[in-house]
Amino acid sequence: MIEILNPSEVARAKDTGALVADILQTLRSRTTVGTSLLDIDRWAESMIVDAGAQSCYVDYEPSFGRGPFGHYICTAVNDAVLHGLPHDYALADGDLLTLDLAVSLGGVAADSAISFIVGESKPPESVALISATERALSAGIAAAAPGARVGDISHAIGSVLREAGYPINTEFGGHGIGSTMHQDPHVSNTGRPGRGYRLRPGLLLALEPWIMADTAELVTDADGWTLRSATGCRTAHSEHTIAITDDGAEILTLPR
């Protein structure tokens, strides 16, 4: 289903997006060397509940996961890149952490992810990975104009990632979002311009370039959820929810 939101629904999506952004920034500021992934999950739960919002993850049970997710945020460390199931792991200096959060507020969902390095150590490979996903995300957003097509976004994202020298996996990518977290259209992280669904005002998209340093192959962790690089290399993931407007794309998941 491709859902086109009316102006009042888009206004509510802005509130949801701001909440997601604020929670992620708060979690980032609290996360230090020694922080447990389970602590991050508990902090996320508290902020979601206090805001009167609903988690999109706790009861999430897609075909690619093992049962309900059961947690409030995805926490992916180093070689983990997507759907990271929080567990009892204390973060170390130099760990590359991705936090991926989706909530619903007022009947509209928003989804965002940030990658950052914990502590004082800044491994160059990790810095480069994060930078590439952020640049690719900016390129995808710039391509998301009314009348453009999904393939234009995919091409813009893929061009940045490919120029940076990273393999691109097409199993998972961006997606439509609105009254539910995952909707059509699928937005691959590479593609041909001029192809796919034509963008219309009122369409919400979650764009999420993610990469692995030296492979495009994923493996599923023993927990049945966490997706890791097949070679054990480091990974990164950046995501924003945007709204297509008459004037272009508006980023909804920025802190207010």
Side-chain angles (χ1 to χ4, degrees):
M1 177 184 74
I2 296 178
E3 186 176 21
I4 303 298
L5 275 62
N6 62 42
S8 66
E9 291 169 328
V10 172
R12 295 204 302 274
K14 293 179 182 181
D15 292 335
T16 312
L19 174 63
V20 169
D22 288 342
I23 291 174
L24 285 175
Q25 292 305 313
T26 299
L27 294 174
R28 179 172 185 165
S29 69
R30 290 185 183 178
T31 299
T32 61
V33 173
T35 297
S36 169
L37 300 182
L38 292 177
D39 288 337
I40 296 173
D41 187 56
R42 284 190 287 266
W43 296 336
E45 176 186 7
S46 177
M47 286 184 280
I48 291 168
V49 172
D50 287 349
Q54 296 78 44
S55 167
C56 293
Y57 292 160
V58 170
D59 298 323
Y60 188 48
E61 194 173 1
S63 60
F64 54 78
R66 182 187 298 164
F69 188 73
H71 290 271
Y72 288 79
I73 192 167
C74 296
T75 56
V77 183
N78 295 334
D79 64 322
V81 64
L82 297 174
H83 314 151
L85 194 72
H87 59 284
D88 189 15
Y89 173 79
L91 291 160
D93 187 52
D95 275 348
L96 197 167
L97 174 64
T98 296
L99 301 178
D100 188 353
L101 178 68
V103 305
S104 180
L105 180 68
V108 185
D111 191 358
S112 184
I114 56 173
S115 289
F116 58 95
I117 302 167
V118 178
E120 299 301 320
S121 178
K122 305 297 179 188
E125 177 191 61
S126 297
V127 173
L129 282 163
I130 295 168
S131 175
T133 62
E134 291 175 344
R135 296 195 315 273
L137 180 56
S138 294
I141 293 169
R149 294 184 179 272
V150 166
D152 298 323
I153 299 173
S154 297
H155 177 72
I157 291 171
S159 295
V160 172
L161 299 180
R162 196 170 291 107
E163 184 177 350
Y166 295 111
I168 301 173
N169 176 291
T170 56
E171 296 173 74
F172 296 92
H175 51 90
I177 187 169
S179 59
T180 57
M181 174 174 61
H182 282 156
Q183 301 179 356
D184 292 331
H186 173 71
V187 186
S188 175
N189 284 327
T190 188
R192 296 176 63 182
R195 300 294 183 93
Y197 181 78
R198 189 179 296 277
L199 308 182
R200 297 169 50 193
L203 175 69
L204 267 58
L205 296 172
L207 307 184
E208 48 182 316
W210 60 273
I211 49 175
M212 302 176 283
D214 62 17
T215 184
E217 183 180 353
L218 290 166
V219 294
T220 303
D221 206 0
D223 64 21
W225 275 100
T226 305
L227 295 178
R228 299 183 181 274
S229 62
T231 62
C233 67
R234 288 204 166 191
T235 70
H237 176 194
S238 296
E239 178 179 15
H240 272 310
T241 295
I242 64 171
I244 306 302
T245 75
D246 291 327
D247 300 319
E250 179 178 359
I251 303 173
L252 303 184
T253 44
L254 291 174
R256 286 186 172 173

